[in-house]
Amino acid sequence: MLSSNILNTVLYRLWSLFAGAITLVLIPIGLSKVEQGIYFTFSSLIAIQSVFELGLNQIIVQTVSHLTAHLKGEITCNTIQRYEVESKLHSLANAASVWYLASSILYSCALFVAGAFIFLQSSNYESVSWEVQWILLILTTAINLYFSPKLSFVEGCGNINQVARIRTIQSIIGFTIMWIALWNDFGLWCVVVVPLVAAICTAYWVLRKSDEIRKLNEYKIVESCKFHWIKEIYPLQWRMGMSWIAGYLAFQLFVPVVFSNFGAIEAGKIGLTLAIFSSLSTLGASWLSACVPQFVRLIAMKKRVELDQLFLKMLGFSTLVVGILCVVSIFALYVLQEAGSNYANRFANPEVAILIAIATLSNNIVFGMSIYIRSHRSEPLLPQSLIVSFLVVLDVYFLSGYGIKIIFIYYAMISTCVSLPWTIYLFKSYKTDEGFL
């Protein structure tokens, strides 16, 4: 039976999948073909926040989970050790706040520059107003980036269900308003709605409602027991951060490149198709992401057998769900095309969709195994991530002149013939080193 943490997280992902499906239906209704291309180019560009986060939120969840295992009695500790843990938690929270404040500012500046470079260089959307919407989108997503470590602390304390609930509530409100905006032809203003609602709801909950954040602020910092960022976070963060940068290059370059080389309309088709399979991948990842605190606690308590069983069960279930949904999505695209539906003209052709589905399924397995490895506070995947992202950059840069289909043929090959086998090899070696095999 699924725990409440996993259940609430999965429910949030299910709602996100449903909301994404409704949005995909309404986008062709509420946006022109050119606006659709700009919409998805916006989405790809703001995903660069992962570069400025540098994987820190995931590290915070893992670190806080390990420390709170002492406070909850899962690992025996005396009174002095409890004060040391509380001091580390407080100092870690302070350091994270400073880091994310600086990251949010740098993120905003980077997006202003990137937006000016990409959009002002093109001339195939002159009749569409986008400047004010782009600025508001940058500001609201920067606010969300700043508050993200607060939610990670709460998740690390084991209260994933609380975070999942607040995300579900703000998502329901945001998407409902967005759908109304799309239906009433508000154009690109709809892109600002969801991050704006998220920023308001998250700020209110963190500042007024979160018991974990209040308790964290009550802990006293002991100078001799402060959390040493350089010693305890940086060795893992720089490796994970490089992997996240590589991930951005590997997954988010396609739409901006298509926008620059083939125009806004083609970018909209690729963006909409990628959005479908990205939502499926997100749903599949939810089962594994929700288990991260459990993985970390089982590692801290040295319960290796239980850890292995839980992981393999979640990975198998996640892969099965993603595989089935990929097949259903491709079949639906074929039906739309054969029926001559106007919606078919808003998506990439089914051949390209199949290539994206193959890559999606491979990436789902890679993501699951990376979670398992990183739960041990280790990052051996850096060379693999850098090589894969480098190959993707070469793919989109050198092959974009040969057509969109060629780009995704090589992308599918990179995912299945390089990324997946390499990750499986590391995963098996890692399990052997840990004494599982």
Side-chain angles (χ1 to χ4, degrees):
M1 181 179 294
L2 296 176
S3 67
S4 60
N5 285 338
I6 297 177
L7 181 60
N8 278 290
T9 302
V10 170
L11 288 175
Y12 166 66
R13 299 302 181 188
L14 287 172
W15 157 255
S16 297
L17 182 62
F18 170 76
I22 299 298
T23 303
L24 294 181
V25 172
L26 290 176
I27 281 176
I29 296 174
L31 300 179
S32 68
K33 291 182 179 181
V34 172
E35 287 175 333
Q36 178 177 313
I38 297 175
Y39 173 93
F40 284 109
T41 305
F42 279 3
S43 298
S44 293
L45 290 176
I46 64 172
I48 202 174
Q49 67 182 28
S50 63
V51 173
F52 292 89
E53 179 191 329
L54 291 178
L56 184 56
N57 276 335
Q58 188 173 341
I59 297 174
I60 288 174
V61 172
Q62 296 171 3
T63 303
V64 173
S65 296
H66 181 78
L67 291 173
T68 54
H70 295 79
L71 299 180
K72 294 180 179 180
E74 295 172 354
I75 298 177
T76 304
C77 64
N78 55 39
T79 303
I80 295 178
Q81 290 173 323
R82 289 182 63 87
Y83 282 124
E84 292 177 352
V85 171
E86 291 175 356
S87 176
K88 285 187 173 183
L89 284 170
H90 195 168
S91 60
L92 174 60
N94 290 344
S97 294
V98 174
W99 173 276
Y100 274 90
L101 177 60
S103 294
S104 300
I105 295 173
L106 293 175
Y107 162 81
S108 300
C109 295
L111 279 186
F112 279 122
V113 174
F117 177 78
I118 292 175
F119 294 111
L120 296 180
Q121 295 296 319
S122 301
S123 59
N124 53 10
Y125 57 90
E126 295 176 350
S127 60
V128 177
S129 175
W130 59 273
E131 294 87 348
V132 176
Q133 296 92 321
W134 177 235
I135 293 172
L136 289 176
L137 181 63
I138 293 174
L139 295 177
T140 53
T141 51
I143 293 172
N144 287 320
L145 177 62
Y146 172 72
F147 280 109
S148 61
K150 311 292 186 182
L151 300 180
S152 296
F153 268 93
V154 177
E155 287 182 302
C157 292
N159 295 311
I160 299 176
N161 56 336
Q162 290 187 20
V163 177
R165 280 200 298 269
I166 185 62
R167 284 174 174 161
T168 302
I169 292 171
Q170 67 190 28
S171 181
I172 291 173
I173 297 173
F175 275 103
T176 301
I177 298 174
M178 179 183 181
W179 296 336
I180 295 173
L182 282 170
W183 187 260
N184 289 278
D185 298 322
F186 276 79
L188 288 175
W189 287 105
C190 68
V191 77
V192 183
V193 175
V194 174
L196 176 60
V197 172
I200 294 172
C201 292
T202 301
Y204 174 77
W205 186 75
V206 166
L207 297 175
R208 300 293 299 273
K209 295 294 184 180
S210 176
D211 293 333
E212 285 75 16
I213 299 298
R214 283 198 294 270
K215 290 179 182 178
L216 189 64
N217 293 330
E218 293 173 358
Y219 293 151
K220 296 181 179 180
I221 297 181
V222 180
E223 288 299 322
S224 60
C225 301
K226 292 178 65 176
F227 199 93
H228 298 286
W229 189 284
I230 300 298
K231 179 181 178 181
E232 301 185 59
I233 293 291
Y234 182 74
L236 181 58
Q237 186 191 9
W238 80 266
R239 291 178 177 272
M240 187 174 291
M242 291 298 292
S243 294
W244 282 56
I245 293 173
Y248 176 81
L249 295 175
F251 299 116
Q252 298 296 336
L253 282 183
F254 299 106
V255 176
V257 168
V258 172
F259 184 92
S260 298
N261 288 276
F262 301 96
I265 293 177
E266 291 300 321
K269 293 179 180 180
I270 293 298
L272 197 56
T273 306
L274 286 171
I276 293 174
F277 292 100
S278 177
S279 64
L280 302 184
S281 181
T282 300
L283 176 64
S286 64
W287 277 276
L288 293 158
S289 298
C291 290
V292 168
Q294 290 176 265
F295 291 158
V296 174
R297 284 193 175 89
L298 289 172
I299 292 169
M301 293 185 285
K302 303 186 184 301
K303 294 183 177 181
R304 298 291 186 175
V305 175
E306 291 89 338
L307 170 68
D308 196 32
Q309 291 175 343
L310 177 62
F311 170 75
L312 293 177
K313 178 182 177 181
M314 292 295 107
L315 179 63
F317 186 73
S318 171
T319 304
L320 178 63
V321 170
V322 172
I324 293 174
L325 292 177
C326 282
V327 172
V328 171
S329 298
I330 293 170
F331 177 75
L333 288 179
Y334 269 111
V335 170
L336 287 174
Q337 188 179 60
E338 292 299 321
S341 171
N342 291 331
Y343 284 112
N345 296 325
R346 295 299 187 101
F347 295 91
N349 64 64
E351 290 79 10
V352 172
I354 290 174
L355 296 170
I356 296 174
I358 292 172
T360 298
L361 193 58
S362 298
N363 292 334
N364 182 74
I365 299 173
V366 169
F367 178 80
M369 292 182 176
S370 68
I371 282 183
Y372 176 90
I373 294 173
R374 288 166 178 161
S375 293
H376 291 78
R377 301 186 70 187
S378 178
E379 184 51 71
L381 293 164
L382 180 58
Q384 180 256 25
S385 300
L386 293 176
I387 293 298
V388 168
S389 65
F390 177 70
L391 292 175
V392 171
V393 171
L394 292 180
D395 174 22
V396 298
Y397 183 79
F398 288 105
L399 300 180
S400 59
Y402 294 93
I404 294 173
K405 186 176 180 180
I406 294 296
I407 293 175
F408 286 99
I409 286 175
Y410 280 90
Y411 175 55
M413 291 174 61
I414 292 168
S415 299
T416 57
C417 300
V418 179
S419 180
L420 181 59
W422 195 339
T423 305
I424 291 175
Y425 172 77
L426 291 174
F427 176 71
K428 288 184 175 179
S429 300
Y430 196 86
K431 290 180 65 179
T432 302
D433 292 341
E434 294 295 332
F436 280 80
L437 301 179

